[in-house]
Amino acid sequence: MESKVQIYQVFIRTTPEKLWQALTDGEVTKKYFFGETIHSDWKRGSEWHSTGPNGSRDVEGTVLEADPPRRLVVTWHILYDAELSKEQSRVTYLIEKRGKCAN
């Protein structure tokens, strides 16, 4: 099976610490992640999963790397769609401070 790589670069006006919290704190993720609450202790080798507003377990994976607030690498396995549930992805978040953004 051929592996595909997709790279997205997003600029967000915040601090690395607040962005880390938005990715890993379930009370914050539901504001930005379609109502999904993220659950994990974010230690290497730990499992993580998200639950939707109705309590369903929608996505799960394993923490491969965690270096707060700079780098988070996880596996990503979708549970809410039968066709997509056959695949597993690897997601890497690289958080870098880039200076100020214009309004």
Side-chain angles (χ1 to χ4, degrees):
M1 174 182 244
E2 183 180 325
S3 176
K4 294 182 181 182
V5 175
Q6 295 179 328
I7 298 174
Y8 299 94
Q9 188 172 33
V10 179
F11 294 90
I12 301 170
R13 186 177 307 174
T14 190
T15 65
E17 293 78 13
K18 286 182 181 178
L19 181 54
W20 182 269
Q21 183 180 21
L23 292 170
T24 61
D25 181 332
E27 287 304 309
V28 180
T29 61
K30 59 185 166 185
K31 293 180 188 176
Y32 302 107
F33 188 43
F34 307 103
E36 295 284 317
T37 302
I38 302 291
H39 309 270
S40 183
D41 64 8
W42 303 108
K43 294 179 182 172
R44 186 178 186 176
S46 292
E47 292 183 8
W48 75 272
H49 70 275
S50 73
T51 52
N54 64 357
S56 63
R57 189 170 175 142
D58 293 333
V59 181
E60 66 183 11
T62 302
V63 178
L64 302 176
E65 297 178 44
D67 182 16
R70 293 179 288 280
R71 181 178 172 90
L72 179 63
V73 182
V74 298
T75 61
W76 190 281
H77 179 226
I78 292 174
L79 303 172
Y80 60 84
D81 182 301
E83 187 65 30
L84 295 175
S85 70
K86 298 174 185 171
E87 301 177 17
Q88 180 170 286
S89 297
R90 176 183 169 128
V91 177
T92 302
Y93 298 96
L94 297 174
I95 303 169
E96 300 174 339
K97 188 171 182 176
R98 292 288 183 107
K100 295 184 178 187
C101 295
N103 286 335

